[in-house]
Amino acid sequence: DLSIQLNVNTEDELGELAKSIEDLAEKLDFMKRERNEFLSSVAHELRTPLTFIKGYADIANRSTTSLEDKTQYLRIIREESRHLTQLMEDLMNLAQLEENGFKVEKHQVLIQELINEVVSKVSGVFSEKRINFLISGEGNFYANIDFMRIEQVLVNLLMNAYKYSADESDIKLAFIPEKENFKIVISDKGEGIPEQDLPYIFERFYRVDKSRTRTTGGVGLGLAIVQDIVKKHNGKIIVESIQNQGTTFIIELPYS
Ligand code: ADP
């Protein structure tokens, strides 16, 4: 245990020093607990798909299992492997982002070009559900940002909007230029997020409905990554949502 008790209660420099050492010990203790929680979440997330994979591989391997069932089990095994790959990718991303001294590589970016790139990336997927994709906001605005990282943020939010929307639903992306900052608003008319879950959705591994998101493939790291990237750009991200009506994410970033 890291708890330290220093019996110096004076008002002078020594007292101050004792106080800061105590604060530091408390902080280290908190970090230790956080790390342990994180590790047990990761272990849990790994165990679930692995249990499915092992279980179905065993049944598929039995000579008594019909070919039809085998095909079905193999499909589950493939699906769970995909889930594990996604988890690994998200974890690597998170580790990279949280590494000390990680820097976003900022360059002058034409915001319109970034939006075009994002739109072309998701349009193909959107057409599978015949999503009505509405894009608004134009102009020659430049911002000093990491193109790839902000692209990742927007694609992530759009793919979430897609995942939690019904067929033929509307999804909007709006660029709103302001004086020193600009906003990018992504909104959907999907299932929304219950009010009591809203404060937690940016936390690592947080999912509103675990059974629902298992089938849609998320592991609950996407928004944690999104928030990290936005923070590294000195920006803000806000969410508004009404259950069964839709969700809106607003990203605000400085031009420079
Ligand atoms: P996941 O990979 O599970 O989607 P995220 O970190 O991206 O994880 O999101 C966390 C949770 O927030 C999701 O599991 C989902 O419940 C909720 N969520 C995020 N975006 C939306 C949205 N556009 N509509 C409804 N729910 C959402």
Side-chain angles (χ1 to χ4, degrees):
D1 206 314
L2 274 166
S3 76
I4 292 177
Q5 194 66 50
L6 294 175
N7 293 319
V8 183
N9 285 317
T10 51
E11 300 270 311
D12 57 9
E13 277 121 348
L14 196 58
E16 292 269 309
L17 185 63
K19 179 88 183 59
S20 9
I21 292 174
E22 271 168 27
D23 286 350
L24 186 65
E26 221 169 83
K27 184 139 193 262
L28 283 172
D29 204 39
F30 174 77
M31 282 165 70
K32 200 174 82 179
R33 260 180 291 138
E34 241 200 354
R35 196 194 55 187
N36 283 345
E37 263 171 41
F38 179 68
L39 282 178
S40 60
S41 303
V42 171
H44 175 82
E45 291 300 319
L46 289 173
R47 196 166 49 215
T48 319
L50 283 173
T51 308
F52 277 113
I53 291 173
K54 172 146 193 334
Y56 284 109
D58 285 347
I59 316 174
N61 203 28
R62 281 183 205 146
S63 55
T64 47
T65 308
S66 73
L67 194 60
E68 205 189 343
D69 285 348
K70 280 185 183 174
T71 312
Q72 164 74 354
Y73 299 152
L74 284 177
R75 198 190 54 73
I76 299 172
I77 291 171
R78 265 182 50 198
E79 180 58 29
E80 292 301 323
S81 309
R82 199 193 54 74
H83 191 86
L84 277 178
T85 310
Q86 175 73 52
L87 176 64
M88 288 303 162
E89 261 168 35
D90 284 353
L91 281 174
M92 302 272 288
N93 246 309
L94 204 64
Q96 206 189 14
L97 279 167
E98 295 196 344
E99 202 176 288
N100 259 347
F102 168 86
K103 283 189 191 74
V104 284
E105 295 206 12
K106 293 182 187 164
H107 300 284
Q108 281 298 101
V109 168
L110 180 59
I111 300 170
Q112 202 58 53
E113 199 175 303
L114 171 76
I115 292 175
N116 290 346
E117 179 73 22
V118 169
V119 169
S120 77
K121 274 222 166 122
V122 299
S123 289
V125 184
F126 278 17
S127 65
E128 281 177 38
K129 274 194 193 171
R130 296 175 308 282
I131 295 291
N132 185 24
F133 193 16
L134 307 149
I135 299 129
S136 67
E138 272 168 51
N140 267 328
F141 293 91
Y142 284 86
N144 198 32
I145 51 177
D146 187 325
F147 190 101
M148 301 266 279
R149 291 292 179 187
I150 298 297
E151 179 188 314
Q152 188 183 358
V153 164
L154 301 178
V155 168
N156 225 314
L157 293 176
L158 286 167
M159 288 309 294
N160 271 351
Y162 174 80
K163 275 198 281 189
Y164 304 111
S165 287
D167 286 6
E168 294 176 33
S169 199
D170 293 350
I171 294 179
K172 284 190 207 157
L173 186 156
F175 164 63
I176 304 170
E178 284 170 1
K179 220 165 160 223
E180 272 149 38
N181 304 317
F182 62 96
K183 285 185 183 142
I184 295 180
V185 181
I186 291 173
S187 52
D188 64 63
K189 291 184 180 168
E191 56 191 81
I193 302 166
E195 206 182 329
Q196 72 265 22
D197 293 294
L198 273 179
Y200 309 108
I201 58 164
F202 292 103
E203 284 178 13
R204 296 180 292 202
F205 297 113
Y206 194 83
R207 285 172 298 195
V208 172
D209 176 346
K210 313 225 180 317
S211 58
R212 179 187 76 191
T213 36
R214 263 208 87 62
T215 52
T216 44
V219 292
L221 285 173
L223 286 179
I225 294 171
V226 161
Q227 192 180 44
D228 265 9
I229 296 174
V230 172
K231 274 193 187 155
K232 288 246 152 70
H233 280 83
N234 304 316
K236 273 196 298 202
I237 179 160
I238 297 166
V239 58
E240 288 160 6
S241 189
I242 300 177
Q243 229 182 333
N244 301 319
Q245 289 195 28
T247 305
T248 300
F249 284 92
I250 305 165
I251 302 164
E252 191 176 334
L253 292 168
Y255 290 110
S256 58

